[in-house]
Amino acid sequence: MNTNKIFTTKRIALSGLVIALYTVIMYFTQGFAFGQYQIRLATSLYSLSAIDPFLIIPLGIANLISNTIMGGMGIYDILGGAIVGIVTSSIVYIIKRLKLNDIFIIIPIILGPGLLVPIWLSFTLNLPYKLLAVSLCIGQIIPSILGVILLKQLKNKVM
């Protein structure tokens, strides 16, 4: 069997598990994941793209699915969430690729959702962009720290 193939059974299975895990975490935390300070613990999983960049697209799909199932703010939130997931986890991978310290992963996990989501939420909710950006960035602090902890724990096991 050629292990150099991009779409291995292991990667596809891992992608499905990550999508399911993201969705389940969002389901059980939706009480505070959609509030004023959107503390989305599931976004800590964006750190997994530092281990395998193949997970970048599945993480975007996971955000899309969770926003669809849990009643996001319409089509902008559903598609925008997918883009935010892909962009954020791509930047996480770039940080790993540049061999920067894992602590730098905090930055995209806070700023990706924190600065991109308010773009459509500001006109959907008719609230100022800056207000939403501050609120969302504050909400991403805990998930970003959890993401670094998760990455450090998994790197010891996987790499």
Side-chain angles (χ1 to χ4, degrees):
M1 183 170 97
N2 185 357
T3 57
N4 293 328
K5 290 183 179 179
I6 294 174
F7 295 103
T8 63
T9 304
K10 181 179 176 182
R11 281 183 160 172
I12 292 170
L14 179 61
S15 297
L17 287 172
V18 168
I19 291 169
L21 183 61
Y22 187 103
T23 306
V24 167
I25 291 170
M26 282 299 297
Y27 178 78
F28 285 110
T29 62
Q30 64 184 315
F32 54 86
F34 292 99
Q36 178 181 355
Y37 299 105
Q38 293 188 5
I39 304 170
R40 293 188 171 207
L41 297 179
T43 60
S44 63
L45 297 180
Y46 292 152
S47 65
L48 297 177
S49 62
I51 295 173
D52 192 345
F54 187 80
L55 292 173
I56 292 171
I57 299 298
L59 286 163
I61 293 169
N63 200 337
L64 180 143
I65 291 170
S66 70
N67 281 353
T68 302
I69 293 172
M70 272 139 277
M73 300 296 294
I75 191 70
Y76 297 118
D77 205 27
I78 292 167
L79 296 178
I83 292 167
V84 168
I86 291 168
V87 168
T88 303
S89 52
S90 294
I91 296 170
V92 167
Y93 172 70
I94 290 168
I95 288 171
K96 182 252 184 186
R97 188 77 195 255
L98 293 173
K99 298 181 185 336
L100 297 175
N101 190 303
D102 291 341
I103 200 77
F104 285 101
I105 289 170
I106 288 174
I107 297 168
I109 295 177
I110 290 174
L111 297 181
L115 299 179
L116 295 174
V117 173
I119 292 171
W120 63 85
L121 278 188
S122 62
F123 69 82
T124 303
L125 298 174
N126 199 23
L127 292 170
Y129 172 86
K130 288 180 184 178
L131 175 72
L132 289 168
V134 169
S135 174
L136 289 169
C137 285
I138 290 170
Q140 285 301 115
I141 292 171
I142 294 171
S144 68
I145 294 168
L146 290 176
V148 172
I149 293 168
L150 176 66
L151 177 62
K152 288 188 177 292
Q153 292 301 310
L154 290 176
K155 277 174 58 173
N156 294 333
K157 311 270 188 281
V158 176
M159 295 180 156

